[in-house]
Amino acid sequence: MMPGRARRALLWAHRWFGLIGGIVLVLIGLTGSFIVFYREIDVALNPSLYAPAGPEQSVTLSEVMRVAATADPAPIATILAPDRTWPVWIVIHSHETAPGSYPNRWTTMVDPSNGKVLGRRDYANAFALKVYRLHFTLLLYEFWGKELVGVAGFVLLGLAVSGLFLWWPKPRRFWRSVSVRKNVSLLRFVLDLHSAAGFWALSVLLLISITGIGIVFPDVVRPIVGLVSQPTPDRSPKVEMPPPAGTSLLSPDAIMRRAQEARPGGSTVAMLNPPTATRNTWRVQFRPDGADPAVRSRGAIWLDPWSGGVVHDRTPGTMSMGERYLAEQLWLHNGATFGFAGRLLVFAAGFAPLVLFVSGAMMWLKRRPAKLRPG
């Protein structure tokens, strides 16, 4: 049993951190529920962008890049291969961006059956993607918005752990402490709701907060993971001694063939990043066959653009347990690691901060002295 003074101090911290940070946590939670299915929502809102003429996959990568470059001459940063949710080629172009501003990206959708452009749009400001940005940066990218979301993850973690200590029931009162009773006073009902919602959402909220912190602050989490399994630093490998100037580059189709030859068993090419000014290699990411569509990739290789050789391999079979955890954080965060059921759990847990904030605020207001209550 926790001493009375320590319990009061913990309750005070739990209450005030919840009241002060609650609005941000509610916003992050609700937008998090949205983006669990943001790709499906984007398809529903923009059906014409994701409606190929037929099921054929007859257009080559070289043709996709040629068509996209004709529609938008800006450098190509990323190419997303068709999948069950987005069944078209999506080419992301990197446009000039003001220093410190959110990257200015546009997308070109290419029909994989005939190579026609289905549409173009401002990628960062499309509705579904803007909600994604709201969740990840609070639309404050230039003002430490991502870091603020990371701090909110620490607050959520602290509230979850302190709430567990404050909730811990007496012997033989467990089920009563995780259920909502009928025919009780409003204050008792709200307290039951707060306790039950906190308990049933606890494990998912802990997972969301821990992985969210790791996504925003990888340098904080990496040493902790290293205590169990040493991860190697993230790299953007390049060919250190490129061939003489004028040496022919392999075509995108040749790079695709080399990637398919090198891919891990039971996976397919999901995403490609052409060479850039700072990285002279092709980066190719893979998606496991049969995985939830929200798992965009799991593992990558970097290919020499002149020879097609593998410069660096970070596919699951070559990574340590720590590296695999760090690479899997995003899919744990949105529940996709556990399939559709996992995504549904994270979707439901996104509403828990709203329930906990409203019920906590109601308890605080009801228990204040009458002369201090508003109205």
Side-chain angles (χ1 to χ4, degrees), residues 11 26 60 131-132 137 148 197 212 214 216 223 245 248 269 288 294 326 373:
L11 178 60
V26 168
T60 65
V131 176
Y132 196 106
T137 69
L148 180 58
V216 176
S248 298
V269 173
L326 293 173
R373 293 177 193 163

Side-chain angles (χ1 to χ4, degrees), residues 221-223 225-227 229-233 314 320 322-324 326:
V221 174
R222 191 178 298 276
V225 174
L227 296 175
S229 174
Q230 188 63 42
T232 57
R314 283 184 69 86
S320 68
E323 290 171 329
R324 294 182 67 177
L326 293 173

Side-chain angles (χ1 to χ4, degrees), residues 16-284:
W16 286 105
F17 273 99
L19 289 171
I20 295 171
I23 295 295
V24 173
L25 291 176
V26 168
L27 178 61
I28 293 173
L30 294 179
T31 53
S33 290
F34 177 94
I35 65 173
V36 166
F37 296 102
Y38 87 96
R39 296 175 72 235
E40 290 85 349
I41 293 171
D42 192 42
V43 171
L45 294 176
N46 305 279
S48 62
L49 295 177
Y50 301 101
E56 301 84 9
Q57 301 278 331
S58 56
V59 179
T60 65
L61 177 61
S62 295
E63 180 66 9
V64 168
M65 295 182 68
R66 186 194 66 79
V67 169
T70 302
D72 185 344
I76 294 174
T78 304
I79 306 155
L80 306 181
D83 62 25
R84 284 181 290 165
T85 307
W86 285 348
V88 298
W89 287 97
I90 300 176
V91 181
I92 304 177
H93 305 264
S94 180
H95 285 251
E96 186 175 351
T97 306
S101 299
Y102 196 85
N104 182 13
R105 302 290 173 86
W106 282 69
T107 53
T108 302
M109 280 71 169
V110 180
D111 190 325
S113 65
N114 57 27
K116 292 183 178 180
V117 173
L118 295 171
R120 291 183 60 245
R121 67 175 179 177
D122 182 347
Y123 181 71
N125 291 306
F127 175 73
L129 281 303
K130 198 154 191 173
V131 176
Y132 196 106
R133 286 173 53 204
L134 179 60
H135 177 78
F136 189 51
T137 69
L138 300 177
L139 300 183
L140 297 172
Y141 182 83
E142 298 88 348
F143 304 100
W144 303 91
K146 184 175 74 170
E147 289 74 15
L148 180 58
V149 170
V151 171
F154 279 109
V155 173
L156 178 59
L157 179 60
L159 290 172
V161 174
S162 60
L164 177 63
F165 278 102
L166 293 168
W167 160 85
W168 201 266
K170 296 178 181 179
R172 297 186 298 277
R173 298 189 65 178
F174 171 78
W175 288 112
R176 180 177 174 181
S177 66
V178 297
S179 57
V180 180
R181 286 166 286 178
K182 300 178 181 179
N183 302 319
V184 293
S185 67
L186 176 61
L187 182 59
R188 183 76 256 174
F189 173 81
V190 171
L191 179 59
D192 285 354
L193 179 64
H194 192 83
S195 298
F199 172 80
W200 292 112
L202 177 66
S203 58
V204 183
L205 291 179
L206 286 173
L207 177 65
I208 290 172
S209 61
I210 291 170
T211 53
I213 291 168
I215 292 168
V216 176
F217 300 119
D219 292 337
V220 173
V221 174
R222 191 178 298 276
I224 300 173
V225 174
L227 296 175
V228 179
S229 174
Q230 188 63 42
T232 57
D234 283 333
R235 296 174 53 192
S236 186
K238 60 182 180 180
V239 179
E240 298 295 343
M241 298 182 64
T247 303
S248 298
L249 295 167
L250 292 179
S251 69
D253 290 341
I255 292 293
M256 176 65 91
R257 286 194 295 272
R258 299 297 174 87
Q260 290 172 335
E261 292 168 1
R263 74 181 187 271
S267 66
T268 188
V269 173
M271 196 178 312
L272 303 101
N273 304 101
T276 66
T278 57
R279 172 182 46 79
N280 59 12
T281 51
W282 277 84
R283 181 187 186 214
V284 183

